[in-house]
Amino acid sequence: MRSDQPDYYELLGVERTAEPEEITRAYRRAMRAVHPDASGTSGLFRLVKTAYDTLKDPASRAAYDARGRTAPPEPPRSRPEPDPAPEPGPGPRQGQGQQNGARQEGARSGGPSGTPPPGPSFTKPQAPAPASALRVRPRFGSHWIRVAAVAVWAVAFLAAVYVLWPAGLPIGFLLLLAFPLVAMPLIALESTLRSLSWLWAVCVLTFAGGAALAAAETEGGAFWTLCGVLLGLAVGGAGLAAAPYLVRKGRELDRLIAPDSLEYQVFNVPGAGLDGNLSRQVVARESAAGLERLARLDGVRIVHALMAPQPSGRAPHYVEHVVLRGDRLAVVMARRWPAGTYAWTSKGALTTIGRPFPGGDTGIGAAVKEIRKVVPRRVRVRGFVAVLPDDPAPSSRVRFPEPEYGDLLAGDLEQVRERIADWLGQGAPVVDRRVLAALLPHLRRP
């Protein structure tokens, strides 16, 4: 097998230990993304089809692994070499960059567009983090601690029910309470069983029947004590039913945001995905140079080049930079405009001398709104428009008499950097891995 051939597992975005049904689901997602009718290419379409035909059959899959794909070399993750930002140069033909952006992202990340790849897809490190104690939330492997706590809770309340069990009721009826505690996690583990609502109904009714029998045989003050213990046991049962889900999500987060990926503060290449638009690439790189000074703050992570998600039928908005720290996230768009006085309109666009101008509607409000939908709810998101003057003379500056409009703020690059630093400084110096994981599918690849 030639070494330049793509890895079929990476192409479909699955692990090498993936089950056949996982491969089938990944294949269907990939085909929707690379189909020629969906702005894909016929070559990539055929390649995905070949990968699926090879991996779906056990015999051909085993032969494929035996031909040298059993232990492919992994890309360096612990300390990859920084990729320098590309110099401005001629891009692809006009209009081709936007059409190829989505499928380039999918092909280079090892999976279909919009599908998280099997590793940190944003590992384009530009600046190593200082060698200091890093506070990460949630901690790596913390899902096992939560599951263990739920199991201890359930066992403790089951033991309390055993102690309070009414003497007039055979102890064998306690199995009506213990059976659902064991059955529900097993049901949740198997994907084919999770969708069967009648299995969940049997577990709930069995538990409710056992609890009703125990309560009916209890009298006096012990009745309310037993009811409280049964309620605590029910909460533990619900936690055990959710335990497989917590483990799946925790393992996926640990895989996407690995410890080595947090050894850097700045990720991705400024202006990535702006092929064919040299002027915006230059603006993105100039603004990145100014904003990366924020990396001096503990816990700050800066990610360049995202495409904010938008509802179907609307063009997505390109976001030059995202700066996050703790539960705060700053969405930054960069523009180069002539010197003058600018003001916000009631619709979140910018005008000069009271008149709209081309490019004044940056879409920052819509980008902030859509990014709020993909990050955890407790994360506070604000939008910033950093304006670079088109004249390098010191007297040529943009002015914003009222720079703020709700959660949006505009100003020159220095003003925006200072306001972001003040706002982020009010939060805790923590890196939230869930926020980074939520941004992964929306990165643009260089």
Side-chain angles (χ1 to χ4, degrees):
M1 178 178 295
R2 299 193 312 270
S3 60
D4 59 346
Q5 272 194 334
D7 189 319
Y8 288 165
Y9 294 99
E10 293 183 0
L11 187 65
L12 295 178
V14 297
E15 298 287 348
R16 296 188 165 274
T17 57
E19 297 295 331
E21 53 269 20
E22 295 180 62
I23 294 176
T24 301
R25 288 195 297 267
Y27 165 70
R28 290 170 179 169
R29 289 194 301 267
M31 291 300 281
R32 286 195 295 268
V34 304
H35 197 279
D37 293 340
S39 299
T41 64
S42 57
L44 188 57
F45 180 86
R46 290 193 299 269
L47 187 58
V48 170
K49 181 69 166 61
T50 303
Y52 175 66
D53 290 341
T54 302
L55 300 182
K56 72 176 180 178
D57 181 65
S60 60
R61 181 178 179 179
Y64 173 78
D65 292 338
R67 286 197 299 269
R69 287 294 185 176
T70 50
E74 292 279 10
R77 289 187 183 176
S78 56
R79 288 192 178 274
E81 291 294 326
D83 290 349
E87 293 297 326
R93 293 189 301 273
Q94 183 67 24
Q96 186 179 0
Q98 295 297 331
Q99 296 175 3
N100 291 343
R103 57 178 178 267
Q104 285 177 353
E105 178 177 350
R108 294 176 183 175
S109 62
S113 177
T115 302
S121 64
F122 60 107
T123 322
K124 285 287 184 182
Q126 305 298 314
S132 59
L134 178 65
R135 294 176 57 187
V136 179
R137 183 174 56 196
R139 295 182 179 180
F140 294 95
S142 61
H143 51 280
W144 293 113
I145 299 176
R146 293 195 294 269
V147 170
V150 170
V152 170
W153 172 287
V155 171
F157 274 93
L158 185 61
V161 171
Y162 176 78
V163 172
L164 297 173
W165 194 257
L169 191 64
I171 196 65
F173 283 97
L174 186 61
L175 293 175
L176 295 176
L177 302 178
F179 168 74
L181 300 182
V182 177
M184 287 192 294
L186 296 178
I187 294 173
L189 277 173
E190 181 55 49
S191 58
T192 57
L193 300 180
R194 285 197 300 266
S195 59
L196 301 179
S197 57
W198 66 269
L199 283 177
W200 296 102
V202 168
C203 292
V204 172
L205 292 176
T206 301
F207 185 92
L213 286 174
E217 294 293 330
T218 306
E219 298 178 354
F223 172 80
W224 294 109
T225 303
L226 180 62
C227 288
V229 173
L230 288 172
L231 179 60
L233 184 60
V235 172
L240 289 176
Y245 172 80
L246 294 177
V247 171
R248 285 196 304 271
K249 299 300 289 184
R251 293 179 65 182
E252 179 182 0
L253 184 61
D254 288 352
R255 177 174 58 86
L256 290 176
I257 312 297
D260 53 7
S261 64
L262 298 182
E263 295 179 0
Y264 298 87
Q265 288 184 287
V266 181
F267 300 95
N268 215 357
V269 176
L274 290 175
D275 301 332
N277 194 334
L278 181 59
S279 60
R280 288 198 62 181
Q281 288 182 12
V282 173
V283 170
R285 291 166 189 161
E286 290 184 11
S287 57
L291 289 176
E292 286 178 6
R293 298 181 186 177
L294 294 170
R296 300 171 183 173
L297 287 172
D298 289 340
V300 163
R301 292 298 182 270
I302 302 173
V303 183
H304 300 303
L306 294 94
M307 192 68 76
Q310 288 293 313
S312 58
R314 298 184 183 179
H317 296 288
Y318 186 89
V319 175
E320 278 78 7
H321 321 287
V322 166
V323 188
L324 56 144
R325 183 177 191 257
D327 61 351
R328 296 168 185 256
L329 187 149
V331 179
V332 185
M333 290 186 174
R335 296 292 186 269
R336 188 185 301 279
W337 291 339
T341 301
Y342 296 87
W344 291 101
T345 68
S346 58
K347 296 183 178 180
L350 288 163
T351 61
T352 178
I353 320 178
R355 296 194 300 268
F357 63 97
D361 187 3
T362 60
I364 183 66
V368 167
K369 181 179 178 181
E370 296 304 322
I371 287 179
R372 281 179 179 150
K373 295 179 181 179
V374 301
V375 298
R377 292 186 178 181
R378 58 176 181 76
V379 176
R380 299 179 59 184
V381 183
R382 292 197 65 183
F384 298 84
V385 178
V387 180
L388 284 67
D390 61 354
D391 188 346
S395 59
S396 177
R397 298 195 60 172
V398 294
R399 294 181 297 276
F400 293 86
E402 297 182 1
E404 295 191 40
Y405 175 74
D407 285 335
L408 308 179
L409 183 142
D412 62 35
L413 182 59
E414 183 178 352
Q415 293 171 340
V416 167
R417 184 179 65 244
E418 292 176 355
R419 295 299 294 269
I420 293 177
D422 292 341
W423 184 62
L424 294 180
Q426 301 172 18
V430 177
V431 178
D432 194 325
R433 296 190 298 135
R434 289 166 294 193
V435 179
L436 285 173
L439 298 176
L440 279 183
H442 309 290
L443 291 181
R444 305 296 293 173
R445 303 316 193 273

